[in-house]
Amino acid sequence: MEQPNSYGDDLGPLKIIHVHQPAVHLRATLVVDNVARGPSIGGMRMAQDVSTEECFRLARAMTLKNAAADLPHGGGKMVIYTDPKAPDSEKELQLRCLVQALRNEQDYVFAPDMGTNETCMAWIKDEVDRVVGLPRALGGIPLDEIGATAWGLVQAIRVAADATAITISESRIVIQGFGAVGKHTARFLCEQGATLVAVSDSSGAIYNPAGLVLETLLQLKQQGGSVTDYADAKSITEDELIAITCDIWVPAARPDILTASNADRLDCKIFAQGANIPATMAAEQNLHDRGILVLPDFIANAGGVICAAMEYQGANESAVFPTISDKIKRNTATVIEQSRQQNILPRAAAVALASERVEAAMKIRRWKLF
Ligand code: NAD
C-alpha cells in the first residue's frame, strides 16, 4: 500500500468536517478516515497547534490501530482548536455546541484524547449516545484512571524485551510525558523492577542516573505540580532527554518528537511508542538501521481504544486487561517476527497486518475494486 499523502489514499479519508461557531469561539475539525469495519472511533484532541493534515494522520493511525486490534470500528480523529487549559465552563459550552453540530454524524463515536477527559465525555453523553470513555458513575470504564493504554504498552514492551534479551527488572527507562500514558507506564514497569532514570512533562525534564522515586513524582503530579518540582534530580533539556542512554525510551506526549535531525541521538534498545506518531518515517528508519527495536504506536498503544470499544459493547471492566494483553502481545510478536523475516521496518509489517484487514472489509462491502 502507498503511504498516504496529505490528501489521503485508497483507504481514506472518507470525510473532513470543519465546525465553526464564532459565538462560543469554537473551531474544530473532524476527520473520518475509514468506516469499512464499522463507525470510526478516535479521540477528541483539544490543542491549538494541530493542522488538518496532522488530524488526518492521527485518524489514519486510528484506522490501522482499530483494525490491528480487530475491533468492529474504523478510524477517525477530532481536533478542537481551544487552549486545553481554558476554564471548564468554556470547554463545556464549546463541546456541547460541537456535538450538537455533529449529532447526526453516525460515522464517528466521540472519545477522549489529550485535553479532553471523562468529564468532557459525560457532557457529551447528555447530547448524544455515541460516546465512550465515560466516568464509572455513568457506566464507563475509566481507561485513563486504570491505565489501559499503559497496560497494553507494557505488554508490548515485555514481548520486545524477550526478543532483544532485555530483562525488565534490570532495565533503565526514560519517559517523555507524565500524563495518563506516561505515569501508568512508569508505574507498571517500576512494579516489575525497572529503574526510571529520566522523565519530562510540559514544564521540563529531569534526570537522576541512580533512579527517580516514582511515588514522589506521582504525588507531585497529583498536587497539580510538575516533575520539575522533584528535588533530587538534575534539570535537563528536552534535547538532552532524547540522548540519555537507557534500555527503553517511551514517548508519551506529542507527535514528531523524533525526526531525521535528532534520531541519531537516541541511545536505547527499545523505542516503545506510547504517543501517537511520535517519530517520522525517516527517524524510524534511522533507529531500525541502528538496531533499535521500534514498537509502532498503533500496535503498542491500542490498549485505550480496546478498552473504549469494550465499554461501547457493554463489557465488564474485569475483562479489559486480559483482552488487551492477549491482543497486543499477539500483534507485537507478529510484527517483530515479520519485520525480522522480511527485513522491513516494524511499522511496515504493522501497516501490512492492519491494512489487509481494512481492505478485506472494503472488499466485502464492494467499496474497492480489486
Ligand atoms: P495527557 O494529556 O494525560 O498527558 C500528556 C503529558 O505530556 C502531560 O504530562 C504533559 O505535561 C506532557 N507534555 C506535553 N507536551 C510535552 C512536551 N513537549 N514535552 C514533554 N512532555 C509534554 O495525555 P495522554 O493521554 O497521556 O496521551 C499522551 C500521548 O499518548 C498522546 O500522544 C496521545 O495521543 C497518546 N495516546 C493516549 C492514549 C490514552 O489512552 N490516553 C491512547 C493512545 C495514545
Side-chain angles (χ1 to χ4, degrees):
M1 196 189 70
E2 279 178 27
Q3 287 303 313
N5 62 30
S6 45
Y7 297 99
D9 57 16
D10 282 358
L11 294 191
L14 177 66
K15 52 188 141 180
I16 299 176
I17 300 172
H18 297 285
V19 179
H20 189 205
Q21 176 53 272
V24 295
H25 306 293
L26 168 67
R27 270 195 329 115
T29 299
L30 169 66
V31 177
V32 174
D33 182 43
N34 187 295
V35 293
R37 292 177 59 88
S40 68
I41 290 192
M44 305 170 77
R45 179 165 299 194
M46 200 170 269
Q48 288 168 305
D49 57 350
V50 184
S51 66
T52 300
E53 186 192 345
E54 195 173 306
C55 186
F56 160 64
R57 287 170 62 210
L58 291 163
R60 171 56 52 85
M62 292 310 301
T63 298
L64 298 175
K65 188 184 298 191
N66 295 342
D70 221 355
L71 303 175
H73 291 285
K77 199 80 181 183
M78 174 108 75
V79 178
I80 304 150
Y81 302 98
T82 296
D83 179 355
K85 292 185 176 139
D88 268 4
S89 53
E90 194 178 313
K91 283 189 185 179
E92 178 178 353
L93 198 60
Q94 290 188 345
L95 285 174
R96 287 185 187 276
C97 188
L98 173 63
V99 174
Q100 276 307 321
L102 296 170
R103 65 188 178 282
N104 295 322
E105 185 44 64
Q106 301 291 327
D107 282 337
Y108 179 67
V109 178
F110 298 89
D113 191 54
M114 287 172 81
T116 59
N117 57 20
E118 288 144 12
T119 307
C120 299
M121 298 308 114
W123 297 330
I124 292 172
K125 179 77 176 168
D126 278 348
E127 309 290 330
V128 293
D129 276 333
R130 291 184 324 278
V131 53
V132 290
L134 291 164
R136 204 178 259 122
L138 295 186
I141 305 176
L143 59 94
D144 281 343
E145 186 185 313
I146 65 174
T149 299
W151 174 255
L153 184 63
V154 170
Q155 307 314 307
I157 289 172
R158 287 174 63 182
V159 174
D162 285 346
T164 49
I166 288 175
T167 306
I168 297 217
S169 60
E170 293 166 8
S171 66
R172 295 162 66 76
I173 57 176
V174 172
I175 299 188
Q176 182 195 48
F178 208 62
V181 177
K183 71 179 180 210
H184 286 298
T185 302
R187 179 166 68 84
F188 291 132
L189 288 174
C190 290
E191 278 170 8
Q192 291 174 42
T195 305
L196 178 66
V197 292
V199 70
S200 71
D201 61 19
S202 56
S203 302
I206 56 165
Y207 173 51
N208 183 340
L212 302 162
V213 180
L214 183 66
E215 276 311 314
T216 310
L217 289 168
L218 293 174
Q219 268 171 20
L220 287 171
K221 290 302 275 188
Q222 205 175 11
Q223 290 157 4
S226 157
V227 297
T228 55
D229 301 327
Y230 187 94
D232 186 21
K234 185 179 161 206
S235 172
I236 57 171
T237 64
E238 208 162 302
D239 233 31
E240 288 169 327
L241 186 81
I242 286 173
I244 286 175
T245 302
C246 63
D247 297 295
I248 302 160
W249 207 101
V250 180
R254 303 303 306 268
D256 291 340
I257 55 108
L258 217 60
T259 64
S261 63
N262 62 0
D264 256 339
R265 306 185 62 227
L266 194 79
D267 184 15
C268 64
K269 300 191 179 89
I270 298 171
F271 182 65
Q273 300 187 347
N276 289 317
I277 53 169
T280 62
M281 284 299 283
E284 289 194 7
Q285 184 69 55
N286 174 304
L287 303 189
H288 185 69
D289 293 346
R290 293 195 293 121
I292 296 172
L293 178 53
V294 177
L295 296 178
D297 48 8
F298 68 85
I299 296 293
N301 72 16
V305 78
I306 294 171
C307 178
M310 290 178 77
E311 175 186 314
Y312 203 54
Q313 289 154 11
N316 198 300
E317 189 172 328
S318 61
V320 167
F321 274 18
T323 305
I324 292 173
S325 289
D326 185 46
K327 285 178 185 278
I328 292 190
K329 277 185 177 166
R330 193 152 17 101
N331 281 343
T332 306
T334 304
V335 164
I336 294 174
E337 189 186 312
Q338 291 298 313
S339 161
R340 287 182 173 173
Q341 267 177 18
Q342 299 177 45
N343 193 22
I344 53 175
L345 292 184
R347 179 168 298 276
V351 169
L353 180 144
S355 52
E356 267 169 29
R357 291 183 184 164
V358 178
E359 289 184 357
M362 291 174 80
K363 189 174 175 185
I364 287 167
R365 303 181 84 160
R366 298 188 185 277
W367 286 1
K368 185 170 179 183
L369 298 172
F370 287 90

